[in-house]
Amino acid sequence: MNCPHAAAPQADSASAGGTVVIDPMVQDLDGETARLRDAGPLARIELLGVPAWTVTRHAEARQLLVDTRLVKDLDAWGLWQSGAVTHAWPLIGMIDAGRSMFTVDGAEHRRLRTKTSQALTPRRLEAIRPDIERFTEELLDALAEQGKDGVVDLKSVFAQPLPMRVVGMLMGVDEAEHAMLTKRYKAFFSMLTPHDERMSLLAELDVFYAALVRERTARPKDDLTSALILAEEGGDPLTEEEVVGNLKAMVAAGHETTIGLILNAVRALLAHPDQLRKVLDGEISWETVIEETLRWDTPTTHLLMRFATEDIQVGDEVIAKGEGVVISYRVIGRDVEQHGPDADAFDITRPAPIRHMTFGHGPHICPGAALSRVEAGIALPALFGRFPRLLLAVPDKELRKLPVMTQNDLECFPVLLHG
């Protein structure tokens, strides 16, 4: 089978004058990771013509992610205040995406986040485990059917629909809408989508979720959407805009991250058959596979963006008031000071525990981290239990990244189920 692919212009992501230009087409993610790591714990970067800082090391990231002088408020960005960055900038929709727990700080962040966190407790995750197991088996049946005569795309048939089904169930989104949502999110994040079309997609998602919120306001159900509508923190219920913002961001984060986690784990294991054998023989746990995958090949590459409300000293560098800061999770996962000189190697036998921060750190740590781990912890052993001779149908070097600056996402993942 052939992956759908649109030719894209390549960007120069090499360092220039001390600044690393982030390639929107993601042509050489490993090379970019190495250049950013070599640039130091705090590196100057350029995002589609806009300058910013990025943090590349574990220790400094832990420091900055809890620093209250770095905020999500777009109005704290000097380039936004001056008009140098406007809504014409192609990445603005990933920063100015509406009011939600992802775009505010402090007490307002806690107010917007509380009900979401309550809906994803360990008890709740255990309660939905049978549903995730059922979805997994149904999708493996579909994978077996489509792959019985040859190559099948593991992404589109299994890794992509599974997390969308799960997050859709949690949010109360009808399954008939899943394909539409997947298509819109994929187009929104793609750097091949014209900017005007990307902003229109954001508006369409707002309309969709607003309709869902109004439906649940009139007829509540046992889902997260209804819980957010009914939430009252200190007598102050969430507004429609806030519920819509939370839903829009949660569905994006709740399925994109898990797609990457599942595919990156499968890819790493197939590229390291000796390690796969240890897992299949029960010598190494699937939990260890998941944590090493999260460290080594993070689902999120660069998280946009925080802004300094005053000067912040980081080592020998100073983030000036008003400057923007990106968190480069993939580079942080390859930090040799944290993970040793073999940080670039995938190694499920490395000493435990594998301490990474792929899901963030501090107040904005990903609320869906535990859900993603549960999904991968069900999906991966079920996949290899059903298809222990699973093989890539193309050389690994032929797998291509989607042109997405923030996610580590593959175009497709062609496999042979029986070797």
Side-chain angles (χ1 to χ4, degrees):
M1 62 171 284
N2 293 317
C3 289
H5 178 66
Q10 295 192 23
D12 179 10
S13 62
S15 299
T19 297
V20 179
V21 180
I22 304 300
D23 179 9
M25 296 300 120
V26 197
Q27 298 294 310
D28 179 19
L29 188 55
D30 285 341
E32 180 178 279
T33 296
R35 285 188 290 276
L36 286 169
R37 186 173 59 187
D38 292 345
L42 200 66
R44 281 286 189 184
I45 60 171
E46 182 181 304
L47 297 164
L48 299 181
V50 171
W53 290 100
T54 190
V55 58
T56 67
R57 290 188 188 165
H58 187 99
E60 285 79 5
R62 283 181 66 88
Q63 169 192 336
L64 289 172
L65 287 170
V66 296
D67 194 319
T68 57
R69 296 172 295 176
L70 276 180
V71 300
K72 293 294 194 82
D73 184 3
L74 180 62
D75 289 332
W77 194 10
L79 294 176
W80 179 258
Q81 294 171 345
S82 70
V85 172
T86 68
H87 278 108
W89 187 49
L91 297 177
I92 196 63
M94 297 181 191
I95 301 172
D96 187 22
R99 183 176 173 79
S100 76
M101 62 180 169
F102 297 92
T103 59
V104 297
D105 298 285
E108 281 298 276
H109 171 257
R110 290 190 293 275
R111 183 178 74 87
L112 292 175
R113 183 184 174 105
T114 296
K115 273 296 179 181
T116 301
S117 300
Q118 291 174 352
L120 296 174
T121 61
R123 178 178 295 182
R124 174 63 170 157
L125 294 181
E126 280 305 304
I128 66 172
R129 179 179 287 273
D131 294 300
I132 302 174
E133 291 172 344
R134 175 169 55 84
F135 295 155
T136 298
E137 290 304 315
E138 290 173 356
L139 291 169
L140 288 176
D141 288 343
L143 190 69
E145 176 62 26
Q146 295 192 36
K148 64 183 180 182
D149 296 322
V151 179
V152 60
D153 179 17
L154 185 67
K155 179 180 178 179
S156 63
V157 181
F158 181 69
Q160 184 168 274
L162 175 61
M164 180 56 83
R165 280 195 187 184
V166 175
V167 76
M169 175 187 68
L170 285 169
M171 307 295 177
V173 176
D174 192 283
E175 191 169 334
E177 306 286 1
H178 291 180
M180 176 274 294
L181 287 175
T182 299
K183 181 178 179 180
R184 277 167 171 70
Y185 278 111
K186 180 180 178 180
F188 171 74
F189 285 113
S190 174
M191 297 311 301
L192 295 179
T193 302
H195 180 58
D196 289 347
E197 183 179 334
R198 184 181 296 111
M199 299 308 290
S200 295
L201 288 166
L202 204 59
E204 290 172 14
L205 288 170
D206 283 337
V207 170
F208 172 80
Y209 288 116
L212 176 63
V213 170
R214 290 165 192 160
E215 166 67 22
R216 289 297 185 272
T217 301
R219 287 172 288 277
K221 294 186 178 181
D222 182 21
D223 56 38
L224 181 56
T225 300
S226 300
L228 290 172
I229 294 166
L230 298 173
E232 291 192 13
E233 296 299 320
D236 186 12
L238 275 62
T239 66
E240 179 179 292
E241 178 193 4
E242 290 169 341
V243 177
V244 167
N246 273 5
L247 290 174
K248 184 170 58 178
M250 278 295 293
V251 173
H255 81 281
E256 287 286 349
T257 299
T258 309
I259 294 169
L261 173 53
I262 292 172
L263 291 181
N264 293 346
V266 174
R267 182 181 189 182
L269 289 172
L270 294 183
H272 300 83
D274 55 330
Q275 297 190 50
L276 174 58
R277 178 45 53 194
K278 290 180 183 295
V279 180
L280 297 181
D281 288 345
E283 296 178 31
I284 304 288
S285 70
W286 284 104
E287 179 183 1
T288 299
V289 171
I290 289 167
E291 297 309 313
E292 176 65 353
T293 301
L294 287 169
R295 177 201 73 80
W296 182 69
D297 204 11
T298 59
T300 300
T301 48
H302 308 293
L303 189 64
L304 315 183
M305 187 182 295
R306 287 170 168 79
F307 310 103
T309 57
E310 59 183 83
D311 290 358
I312 302 173
Q313 184 85 35
V314 182
D316 296 330
E317 303 285 0
V318 175
I319 303 168
K321 179 181 177 179
E323 290 189 313
V325 179
V326 173
I327 313 297
S328 290
Y329 284 111
R330 193 174 195 271
V331 190
I332 292 166
R334 304 289 185 95
D335 180 6
V336 295
E337 293 187 10
Q338 174 68 20
H339 302 292
D342 65 342
D344 283 329
F346 176 80
D347 182 7
I348 58 175
T349 68
R350 69 176 61 248
I354 301 168
R355 299 191 183 280
H356 61 79
M357 59 170 57
T358 294
F359 286 117
H361 177 66
H364 282 279
I365 191 170
C366 177
L371 175 62
S372 188
R373 285 182 167 106
V374 168
E375 291 179 64
I378 292 170
L380 291 168
L383 173 67
F384 282 100
R386 181 84 75 94
F387 308 111
R389 294 190 292 136
L390 184 76
L391 286 178
L392 260 177
V394 298
D396 182 88
K397 65 182 180 180
E398 292 186 11
L399 293 176
R400 292 177 293 199
K401 301 286 186 183
L402 283 172
V404 177
M405 294 183 73
T406 52
Q407 275 100 317
N408 182 6
D409 201 357
L410 292 164
E411 287 187 348
C412 71
F413 200 92
V415 295
L416 293 166
L417 299 179
H418 305 290

